[in-house]
Amino acid sequence: MEKAINKTFKLGGDLEINRVGYGAMQLTGKGEFGEVEDRENAKNVLLKAVEFGVNFIDTAEAYGPKYNESLISDALYPYKQNLVIATKGGFLRPEPFVWIPNGNPDHIRENIESSLKRLKTDSIDLWQLHRIDPNVPIEKTIVPILEAYKDGKIKHFGLSEVTVEQIEKIREYLPVVSVQNLYNLGDRRWEDVLDYTIKENIAFIPWYPLASGPNKMAGKLQELSLKYNSTIAQIALSWLLKRGSNILLIPGTKSIQHLEENLKADSVSLTEEDYNLLLEK
């Protein structure tokens, strides 16, 4: 008998969240820059996500930049009890498609303070360092984060696109409760980081989770989608849920129909045989 997938995860030991959440990056302009084209639709997608049971929403100062956080608070504030909003800081966004890591302490401090204002909160549930800046020593970048953590402005802290060595280095300064790295059926370069987070009970939040892999996998996915009467996206997400019980999914969409479909991924329970079929790539 197949073991049922755990549908929740306790982030940081105290925030119990549904493992299929929502990533808000798509609710911005072209190139993740500027205001979203249809603001009312975007607000409606956020409202529907919460109505459908999402209690974990991922955003970032860099999405827009700034517009995405303001959109979330405009749509959802005052927030529903137990809704966890995660945001990130540590990038400069001078123009569309351009992402420049900036770990300067003053920049990080400003990111945290402005996120608090835009999200209309005095404490961010999960603040994540969006990238480690190779030009700034991490010992300097971490200072304003540690200050905000001690002051209660950040409840929990996470990282993005990091190695195991970087995680361990930063854990010398403060607890790391989440890691957000690129990971999906077709791109598993961070297997060692995922395995480390499983061992350490750290949440792993794969970004770009809906990528379904190389063409040779298309046939397998199509076959399984027919077998389980599911969409290919649901199969890809279900595989991730089975890969690690610490994996939190944040698929993004501007479509309420796709939102509803994505949120049903945790009801698709792949057999071990079907899981391994996709594991083989």
Side-chain angles (χ1 to χ4, degrees):
M1 183 176 177
E2 297 292 329
K3 184 180 178 182
I5 292 174
N6 290 331
K7 294 191 175 186
T8 64
F9 178 83
K10 196 162 278 192
L11 182 71
D14 66 339
L15 300 175
E16 187 157 8
I17 56 179
N18 297 327
R19 291 180 61 204
V20 184
Y22 179 76
M25 186 177 75
Q26 287 193 32
L27 303 183
T28 54
K30 186 178 180 181
E32 294 77 49
F33 199 84
E35 179 71 273
V36 66
E37 185 177 348
D38 188 340
R39 187 175 175 83
E40 287 309 306
N41 174 70
K43 289 170 70 174
N44 200 31
V45 168
L46 288 164
L47 287 165
K48 285 295 183 182
V50 174
E51 180 184 321
F52 293 156
V54 166
N55 65 350
F56 182 68
I57 294 176
D58 178 84
T59 182
E61 187 275 344
Y63 299 164
K66 305 179 184 7
Y67 285 108
N68 199 244
E69 290 177 326
S70 297
L71 173 70
I72 287 171
S73 63
D74 286 352
L76 300 177
Y77 185 85
Y79 302 118
K80 187 175 181 180
Q81 188 177 10
N82 299 325
L83 175 63
V84 174
I85 296 176
T87 192
K88 300 178 285 292
F91 264 124
L92 284 176
R93 297 295 319 284
E95 58 185 281
F97 302 106
V98 176
W99 303 73
I100 304 170
N102 187 341
N104 180 282
D106 290 338
H107 179 72
I108 297 296
R109 187 175 289 107
E110 189 279 330
N111 276 187
I112 294 170
E113 293 296 335
S114 61
S115 288
L116 285 163
K117 291 175 184 174
R118 282 189 294 274
L119 291 171
K120 299 179 182 176
T121 184
D122 56 8
S123 185
I124 296 168
D125 296 316
L126 173 61
W127 189 91
Q128 301 154 101
L129 182 60
H130 213 154
R131 287 296 184 277
I132 291 178
D133 186 346
N135 299 312
V136 179
I138 192 62
E139 294 84 357
K140 292 185 177 180
T141 298
I142 210 78
V143 170
I145 303 171
L146 191 55
E147 289 172 356
Y149 182 78
K150 289 179 177 176
D151 290 342
K153 295 178 180 180
I154 293 173
K155 290 179 185 174
H156 295 294
F157 171 68
L159 296 164
S160 182
E161 286 300 279
V162 286
T163 65
V164 170
E165 292 73 24
Q166 288 171 327
I167 299 168
E168 291 187 328
K169 174 68 174 175
I170 292 173
R171 289 179 84 186
E172 295 175 8
Y173 297 91
L174 75 167
V176 173
V177 306
S178 69
V179 170
Q180 190 167 153
N181 282 18
L182 173 65
Y183 189 85
N184 53 57
L185 268 174
D187 192 332
R188 305 178 203 165
R189 73 186 75 174
W190 293 113
E191 290 280 12
D192 64 325
V193 174
L194 173 53
D195 289 337
Y196 174 84
T197 61
I198 291 172
K199 180 171 67 77
E200 298 294 321
N201 199 36
I202 295 170
F204 187 89
I205 308 170
W207 61 270
Y208 203 27
L210 283 172
S212 53
N215 290 334
K216 65 180 182 179
M217 191 178 284
K220 297 178 183 178
L221 285 165
Q222 187 65 41
E223 178 186 330
L224 292 177
S225 71
L226 291 171
K227 176 179 177 178
Y228 289 92
N229 192 27
S230 306
T231 66
I232 286 175
Q234 286 170 341
I235 296 296
L237 294 173
S238 177
W239 186 90
L240 287 169
L241 290 172
K242 195 174 180 71
R243 172 63 179 86
S245 61
N246 66 326
I247 286 181
L248 309 180
L249 300 179
I250 50 168
T253 179
K254 295 178 182 178
S255 160
I256 290 175
Q257 178 187 340
H258 289 156
L259 169 70
E260 200 164 6
E261 289 174 358
N262 291 340
L263 294 178
K264 291 177 180 176
D266 65 358
S267 65
V268 179
S269 186
L270 298 175
T271 65
E272 203 67 32
E273 181 183 2
D274 290 337
Y275 168 81
N276 289 330
L277 184 69
L278 295 175
L279 188 64
E280 296 167 2
K281 284 209 263 188

